[in-house]
Amino acid sequence: MRPNALVGFTAVFIGVAYGTMASGLRGHPSGNQPVSLFPIGLGFLMAVLGLFQLVLEARKGRLNLEGTPPVVLPASSLRPVLGTAGFCLFYVLALERLGFILSTAVFLGGLLFLVNGPRAWKTNAVLTLLFSLGAWALFTKVFHLYLP
Amino acid sequence: MVVLELLLQGFYTALDPLNLAWLLGGSLLGTVLGMLPGLGPSTGMALLLPAVLSLRPDTGLIAMAAIYYGAMFGGSRSSILLNIPGDRAAVASCLDGYPMALNGQAEAALAISAIASFIGGLIAAGTFVLVALPVARFSLRFGPPESFCLMVFALAATAAVSREVFLRGMISVLLGLMLATVGLDFQTGIPRFTFGSAALQLGIHFAVVIIGIYGISEILVNLEKVDQDLPKPAQVHIGRIRISLAQWKRSIGPIFRQSPIGILVGVFPGTGGLAAALTAYDNEKTRSRHPEEFGKGAIEGLAAPEAANNACSVGAMIPMMTLGVPGSGTATVMLGALLMMGLEPGPALFGQHPAVAWGVIASLFLGHIVCLVINLPLAGLLVKGLYMPQKVLYPFILALAFIGVYSINFSLADCWLLAGVGFAGYLMKKFRVPTAPFILASVLGASMESSFRQSLVLSDGSLGIFFRSAISNVLLIAAFLSLARPFLSDWRTRKKQGKSIDVPIE
């Protein structure tokens, strides 16, 4: 599927789903607060714009006109991007379970090893330790903020 | 006289030791962030958003403004030495800045870019002083329908950047507005789009959206090319940063001519520094007696865009502080900070918090002096920052993004949302869906819906209220023209090309 067509399809899906949910919103008992009118309008407009996008792409395809270039994710960049995504998910899962210092050390250390490479392991380890402990000290001791 | 008194009061606020320290720090951070390709002022300001909550409003806004114009100063460093713009607004500075460095004039290029940025910024700050009160007072005439129409105009202008991304820009606006409707309804308390989640009842904080887009998705995009090495600089040894009298004489005209253009472009929502710099460059090239020198190291070709992009950055703050409508994506982050601190832009800001409003304005003058000092005598030292290994920087930015968002409400749900918005933003960038309209819509969404509903209550449900006042009509026409602009400009280009293109004979 052409990238723009996928954007159009997603917009129609979101527009219809959101609009349907909006139309099910209960109004205020006083009746003078139209809680659903604005969202219904947004859902309707989204679906219409998505349809427009789909029609334009279909027309381009029929006329063999050049569309938007395909979405490319080079194989070399898959590792850092997906790895980073994985570490981000780990961090959110671990922050309150493992505590700030440990989870930040694993998150940051892992990312540095992934992005900066294992050869610079000394630099990575020192930076990880300094940041994890330094950030904890700064937030809890200086700003007096709670960190898990 | 009133303005002068208020400005003096502003200088008193800006010269407070804490504000001065943040002004220095912000200017330095902005310059460094502007210098590093791939990172811009928006990322720095987004990361600072949670910290702003623990600062005084004047201090937070002064720091953010300093990052913004500091980045405009720094952006040209890598344009001149590496031919890679540090920031989007510095693209035009590559055109003549890099050839100047290749010709062995890196010092002059670095000097004129700093001087032009300084003068451009000062002219814009002076303009801000002159127009701030009249515009803020004018906005007193805005009722709910006018406010709604103003936001429609701002969103339309931001979405319709070009014909290619027109529909995707509009889709991006709607996505942002949809996100802003999540949570308890602000007037009735009815939960909307929360899927039964208690965490979503508070809504999706726009700080999460801003940090997700500028802190997470920006880094994910940069990580794709993390293994690419930066090119070798055009000139390794940097001598004394200065320009000759002849070079100054050639630059002064373009600086003073193009600064007002930068302000005008900055005031208009959805344009930004890139448009200002390219317009200024094009203007100077068109009026030059030696257009053939442009692109080969003409100093005018560097002075004009540099003055314009700094004037634009200050210009973008004018509608943000006086009307609540930011002139650029980076000014949107500032508006977010303003709202997070519980301040209302417009007459309320200037009337109830004059120390904050005028403190920020006065800091623009002081900050530009600080940036000039950082970028002239310390330029040789700063240039070493270009070799900072960015792959080390990215993990820290990601960590700061998560810690910052967590510290807003101490809620893990915000971290989940941050990750979600970050990856959604990455996909948007991959599918060329502009993210600036999405962010602006998520910041303005709540006020926009509130104005819409207040208007309908006033008119007993009639949509005709949006067409009753002259201000609303002018704003709606402006919104329509903004939407039509990319099509009109395409049509004009094609018409021009049609006249000049020769038909090839086979």
Side-chain angles (χ1 to χ4, degrees):
Chain A
M1 195 187 268
R2 293 155 78 110
N4 278 352
L6 195 61
V7 171
F9 180 76
T10 313
V12 172
F13 176 76
I14 294 175
V16 171
Y18 179 89
T20 311
M21 283 170 73
S23 60
L25 287 171
R26 285 176 293 116
H28 192 258
S30 66
N32 64 354
Q33 292 290 343
V35 284
S36 58
L37 192 58
F38 189 75
I40 287 175
L42 294 181
F44 174 75
L45 270 177
M46 181 68 113
V48 168
L49 288 176
L51 268 179
F52 254 123
Q53 184 79 65
L54 282 173
V55 170
L56 275 179
E57 282 307 297
R59 193 170 151 260
K60 272 186 193 167
R62 220 178 29 245
L63 297 174
N64 278 330
L65 291 175
E66 211 176 300
T68 319
V71 175
V72 187
L73 187 63
S76 59
S77 58
L78 264 176
R79 203 173 129 261
V81 172
L82 292 180
T84 304
F87 276 114
C88 288
L89 293 180
F90 160 81
Y91 195 39
V92 183
L93 280 170
L95 187 62
E96 285 188 347
R97 288 188 177 90
L98 298 182
F100 177 80
I101 297 178
L102 194 58
S103 58
T104 305
V106 176
F107 171 69
L108 198 59
L111 275 181
L112 279 169
F113 273 92
L114 182 80
V115 180
N116 200 25
R119 273 190 200 167
W121 68 271
K122 279 184 195 163
T123 318
N124 297 346
V126 170
L127 288 175
T128 300
L129 270 179
L130 282 178
F131 182 85
S132 305
L133 294 173
W136 181 82
L138 184 77
F139 276 81
T140 54
K141 305 290 174 199
V142 180
F143 294 139
H144 300 288
L145 292 174
Y146 160 78
L147 283 177
Chain B
M1 280 311 282
V2 178
V3 173
L4 275 181
E5 273 173 33
L6 290 166
L7 187 63
L8 274 177
Q9 190 190 341
F11 273 108
Y12 183 73
T13 306
L15 285 168
D16 174 272
L18 182 69
N19 288 346
L20 217 47
W22 277 94
L23 180 77
L24 280 167
S27 303
L28 193 64
L29 179 67
T31 305
V32 173
L33 281 174
M35 257 172 32
L36 299 174
L39 293 175
S42 308
T43 306
M45 287 163 71
L47 292 177
L48 198 69
L49 262 183
V52 154
L53 282 178
S54 61
L55 296 174
R56 286 192 334 235
D58 49 331
T59 312
L61 288 173
I62 284 172
M64 287 203 145
I67 293 177
Y68 192 5
Y69 51 73
M72 296 298 122
F73 273 83
S76 58
R77 314 283 102 176
S78 54
S79 298
I80 292 166
L81 293 170
L82 304 176
N83 201 24
I84 300 175
D87 182 61
R88 269 163 56 86
V91 167
S93 307
C94 290
L95 301 173
D96 278 289
Y98 186 64
M100 278 182 81
L102 285 178
N103 298 339
Q105 296 178 313
E107 292 86 355
L110 291 170
I112 198 61
S113 72
I115 295 168
S117 298
F118 173 70
I119 299 174
L122 281 193
I123 293 174
T127 310
F128 200 165
V129 172
L130 293 177
V131 303
L133 275 188
V135 178
R137 278 181 191 147
F138 175 73
S139 69
L140 278 172
R141 296 185 196 174
F142 283 45
E146 287 82 10
S147 297
F148 177 77
C149 294
L150 179 67
M151 286 182 258
V152 168
F153 162 63
L155 291 174
T158 310
V161 180
S162 73
R163 193 168 159 257
E164 287 71 34
V165 296
F166 179 79
L167 275 177
R168 279 169 281 162
M170 298 295 289
I171 288 171
S172 181
V173 163
L174 291 173
L175 266 180
L177 291 175
M178 285 177 172
L179 218 62
T181 59
V182 174
L184 290 180
D185 180 56
F186 52 90
Q187 284 174 341
T188 61
I190 293 169
R192 299 190 300 176
F193 314 106
T194 55
F195 302 98
S197 155
L200 281 179
Q201 289 197 349
L202 285 175
I204 298 174
H205 202 293
F206 51 69
V208 173
V209 178
I210 291 172
I211 300 173
I213 298 291
Y214 289 127
I216 307 279
S217 70
E218 203 75 38
I219 298 300
L220 287 175
V221 171
N222 285 338
L223 279 173
E224 283 186 14
K225 38 186 191 278
V226 75
D227 288 327
Q228 289 173 9
D229 290 327
L230 285 178
K232 291 228 154 50
Q235 194 174 318
V236 179
H237 178 71
I238 306 293
R240 203 169 151 213
I241 310 289
R242 61 177 178 184
I243 52 167
S244 66
L245 191 65
Q247 285 172 321
W248 169 245
K249 279 182 181 165
R250 281 176 65 180
S251 311
I252 188 77
I255 292 173
F256 278 96
R257 272 195 298 273
Q258 301 310 325
S259 296
I261 303 286
I263 300 169
L264 275 179
V265 175
V267 165
F268 194 78
T271 44
L274 176 64
L278 289 175
T279 309
Y281 184 84
D282 202 41
N283 284 347
E284 278 309 312
K285 191 177 174 183
T286 310
R287 60 170 296 138
S288 170
R289 285 183 197 159
H290 303 285
E292 72 283 355
E293 288 178 10
F294 277 70
K296 294 174 187 162
I299 199 161
E300 304 93 316
L302 178 61
E306 278 301 302
N309 70 23
N310 258 64
C312 176
S313 68
V314 176
M317 292 181 213
I318 300 176
M320 189 275 291
M321 284 178 64
T322 53
L323 297 169
V325 172
S328 69
T330 317
T332 308
V333 185
M334 273 187 83
L335 176 66
L338 202 76
L339 298 173
M340 273 172 78
M341 291 183 283
L343 299 175
E344 195 187 326
L349 178 67
F350 284 85
Q352 292 163 17
H353 307 278
V356 176
W358 289 97
V360 174
I361 296 175
S363 79
L364 298 174
F365 293 95
L366 300 174
H368 275 81
I369 297 170
V370 170
C371 285
L372 188 71
V373 173
I374 292 173
N375 283 274
L376 271 184
L378 303 178
L381 196 71
L382 263 182
V383 163
K384 291 193 171 67
L386 282 175
Y387 309 110
M388 193 185 289
Q390 292 191 36
K391 51 174 81 176
V392 177
L393 217 62
Y394 295 150
F396 288 100
I397 293 176
L398 288 172
L400 282 174
F402 278 102
I403 299 169
V405 161
Y406 183 80
S407 70
I408 296 175
N409 290 322
F410 301 102
S411 153
L412 212 54
D414 281 347
C415 291
W416 279 112
L417 286 170
L418 175 75
V421 172
F423 297 125
Y426 174 69
L427 286 178
M428 284 170 79
K429 283 174 202 268
K430 293 302 288 180
F431 281 88
R432 296 178 183 83
V433 178
T435 50
F438 174 67
I439 294 173
L440 181 61
S442 71
V443 173
L444 294 183
S447 328
M448 192 172 178
E449 187 182 3
S450 165
S451 304
F452 177 77
R453 282 164 58 174
Q454 281 172 2
S455 306
L456 289 190
V457 169
L458 286 173
S459 69
D460 233 0
S462 163
L463 291 171
I465 192 165
F466 297 112
F467 305 96
R468 274 183 210 159
S469 81
I471 296 174
S472 299
N473 286 331
V474 168
L475 287 167
L476 288 177
I477 291 170
F480 175 76
L481 288 177
S482 303
L483 292 176
R485 185 184 55 176
F487 297 94
L488 288 174
S489 103
D490 249 33
W491 175 73
R492 272 174 54 196
T493 314
R494 257 184 278 150
K495 207 174 152 191
K496 265 188 203 167
Q497 282 174 345
K499 272 183 189 168
S500 59
I501 288 175
D502 293 326
V503 179
I505 300 167
E506 289 186 272

